[in-house]
Amino acid sequence: MGKLTTHVLDTAHGRPGAGIAIELYKLDGDTRSLIKRSLTNDDGRCDQPLLEGEALVAGEYELVFHAGEYFAAAGVSVPQPRFVDRVVLRFGIADATAHYHVPLLVSPWAYSTYRGS
C-alpha cells in the first residue's frame, strides 16, 4: 500500500519544524485541487500520512509549507518581504504502491528537499 509522508527540519535552530501549516494539492495541467491541510507535530511530522492506499494515485502533486509564518511565530527577525515564506515543492508520483517521503530542510534563508524513505 502506497503512502505520502513528509517531515520538516528547522536547520536554523537544529530542531524539528513543529506547528508548520502544510497544504497538499493534486495537479492536473494548470489546475490545482486542494486535497488536504495539515499541521506538523512536535517531531516535525504529520500524525497521519498525507495520502495512502487508494487515495494515492500516480500524477503530479504540490506541497506548500508555510515556513515564513513558522519562523515569525518563533520570533526570528527577518526583513519584509520574507526571503523564504511559502515553500512550494512540485513532485511526481509514478508508482502509487510505493512510499514517497518528501522531507523539507528549511531556514529563513534557504531550503532543500529530497526523496526520502
Side-chain angles (χ1 to χ4, degrees):
M1 177 167 74
K3 64 182 175 179
L4 171 64
T5 58
T6 190
H7 186 195
V8 183
L9 298 171
D10 173 347
T11 57
H13 299 101
R15 63 184 179 216
I20 296 179
I22 300 172
E23 297 161 348
L24 173 65
Y25 294 88
K26 176 79 170 80
L27 303 176
D28 184 15
D30 291 333
T31 303
R32 292 168 77 218
S33 300
L34 179 66
I35 296 174
K36 187 172 196 172
R37 285 189 171 99
S38 192
L39 197 65
T40 58
N41 61 24
D42 289 344
D43 193 35
R45 300 174 188 272
C46 297
D47 290 330
Q48 301 293 323
L50 295 170
L51 289 175
E52 65 182 325
E54 292 180 6
L56 180 67
V57 297
E60 294 182 82
Y61 292 85
E62 185 177 276
L63 279 168
V64 180
F65 298 86
H66 292 257
E69 292 173 15
Y70 162 79
F71 286 112
V76 176
S77 177
V78 294
Q80 293 296 324
R82 300 172 181 138
F83 184 73
V84 171
D85 190 20
R86 290 186 185 135
V87 176
V88 178
L89 302 178
R90 286 193 174 193
F91 58 95
I93 291 181
D95 179 2
T97 65
H99 179 189
Y100 284 80
H101 185 63
V102 184
L104 176 69
L105 289 76
V106 66
S107 81
W109 309 107
Y111 64 88
S112 65
T113 191
Y114 56 93
R115 181 174 175 191
S117 58

